[in-house]
Amino acid sequence: MELLKYIFLGFIQGITEPIPVSSSGHLLIFQKIIGGIDKIDYGILATITNFGSFIAICLIFKKEICDLFKSFFGYLKTKDKKYYGNYKYSWYIVLATIPAGIMGLIVTKLGFFDALEKNVKFVGITLLITGIFLFIIKDFKGKKEKKDITLKDALIIGLFQVVALIPGISRSGSTMIGGMFRGLKRETAFNFSFLLYIPISIATTLLGFKDLFSANLEINTIMLYLISMIVAFIFTYIGTKWFRKVVKEGKLIYFSIYCLIVGILVIMFL
């Protein structure tokens, strides 16, 4: 039973990380539903499973990541114009990461959301908010491609990512919404959102591993967390591929309906 719990929670993290429904919010919801899992440290679980999700997304976007690195350093070295588009795009990812990075440190240090992080009713409210915004943008198509993204677009999407610091708000959802509000094509917004996830995930994983190494974990417990990580990796990979297809087909309404239904159920019954 203990093993099944870890597998199930790895699945929840993996399948909800890439889609706009808040993985952390869903972990809290299922923690509340399952109850009595005193042996599970949800902070460590989130760190470990997030690392599995990070590896999966890096694998899916490995070509884009390699191209960006090659172009970034290629332009620095040669100033060749063929590298300039990706060089500029790399800087936009960095700059879009800064607002959430700064606010994340402030929020963590001052404990702004400490009282809300385990409030499942609040997660229900944030799911309703996410559902409403997804409904508003469901028919947005946009015209901007990767080459058309501006510094202003990147910074505004970065500010939307700040909103995801609120417990229960989806990071992928908020950045996708920000990109589509700025007129990006659906797939362009999707790619920028997930490339933006990578530096944020590196930072949160490094901070989380500090707590992990200071915890005295038994070998059996470590193995259970690793199984959760592998499950999260598998289902993040599957979920991201599926979400890309849904975005291309313009069917974000599915996630809007889901967030609204689950938000109402959480507020009413949990």
Side-chain angles (χ1 to χ4, degrees), residues 16-270:
T16 58
E17 179 61 51
I19 62 177
V21 299
S22 177
S23 58
S24 60
H26 275 70
L27 280 177
L28 180 58
I29 290 168
F30 283 98
Q31 180 184 359
K32 182 79 173 179
I33 292 171
I34 296 171
I37 319 179
D38 297 331
K39 291 184 179 179
I40 295 181
D41 184 318
Y42 276 82
I44 292 176
L45 181 74
T47 298
I48 292 288
T49 53
N50 177 72
F51 185 63
S53 296
F54 167 74
I55 295 171
I57 289 170
C58 285
L59 187 60
I60 290 170
F61 286 90
K62 63 182 183 298
K63 184 181 183 302
E64 289 88 343
I65 295 167
C66 289
D67 286 346
L68 289 176
F69 270 101
K70 180 181 176 183
S71 296
F72 185 84
F73 292 105
Y75 185 78
L76 285 177
K77 185 177 180 180
T78 66
K79 301 300 180 186
D80 191 324
K81 287 184 179 179
K82 71 179 180 181
Y83 296 127
Y84 182 69
N86 275 342
Y87 171 80
K88 183 175 67 171
Y89 189 76
S90 300
W91 272 116
Y92 287 165
I93 291 170
V94 172
L95 293 171
T97 304
I98 291 172
I102 294 172
M103 283 303 299
L105 289 173
I106 294 171
V107 164
T108 302
K109 193 165 184 65
L110 299 181
F112 282 159
F113 299 127
D114 286 356
L116 299 175
E117 283 179 349
K118 295 190 177 181
N119 188 328
V120 74
K121 298 283 188 190
F122 186 76
V123 170
I125 294 168
T126 55
L127 282 171
L128 290 179
I129 293 168
T130 301
I132 290 166
F133 275 98
L134 287 172
F135 182 81
I136 291 169
I137 66 155
K138 64 182 173 58
D139 296 321
F140 283 24
K141 292 183 179 178
K143 296 180 179 179
K144 291 182 179 178
E145 298 181 351
K146 177 181 173 180
K147 62 183 176 58
D148 302 314
I149 296 175
T150 65
L151 175 60
K152 185 177 180 181
D153 294 332
L155 290 174
I156 289 175
I157 294 169
L159 290 174
F160 270 83
Q161 185 164 241
V162 171
V163 178
L165 295 172
I166 299 171
I169 293 287
S170 164
R171 192 215 61 84
S172 64
S174 60
T175 50
M176 281 284 297
I177 290 167
M180 292 172 75
F181 269 129
R182 290 299 301 167
L184 273 61
K185 286 185 175 181
R186 290 168 182 156
E187 192 167 2
T188 305
F190 175 90
N191 288 340
F192 192 82
S193 171
F194 278 85
L195 289 170
L196 197 56
Y197 163 83
I198 292 170
I200 287 290
S201 182
I202 290 171
T204 54
T205 299
L206 289 174
L207 290 171
F209 271 120
K210 184 183 71 172
D211 296 330
L212 175 62
F213 290 132
S214 64
N216 281 324
L217 299 177
E218 296 177 358
I219 187 65
N220 288 343
T221 306
I222 293 171
M223 291 304 297
L224 289 170
Y225 282 126
L226 288 176
I227 289 168
S228 275
M229 183 189 78
I230 292 166
V231 173
F233 164 79
I234 292 168
F235 283 96
T236 297
Y237 190 90
I238 293 169
T240 305
K241 292 275 191 180
W242 172 63
F243 185 41
R244 173 178 266 167
K245 183 181 178 183
V246 171
V247 169
K248 282 182 180 178
E249 294 172 353
K251 294 178 179 177
L252 289 173
I253 184 66
Y254 295 161
F255 299 108
S256 173
I257 293 168
Y258 174 84
C259 287
L260 291 171
I261 291 172
V262 174
I264 291 168
L265 291 174
V266 167
I267 292 169
M268 288 177 64
F269 298 110
L270 293 181

Side-chain angles (χ1 to χ4, degrees), residues 1-11 34 224 227-228:
M1 283 301 297
E2 201 67 23
L3 174 62
L4 289 176
K5 291 171 186 175
Y6 279 86
I7 290 172
F8 177 70
L9 292 169
F11 163 75
I34 296 171
L224 289 170
I227 289 168
S228 275

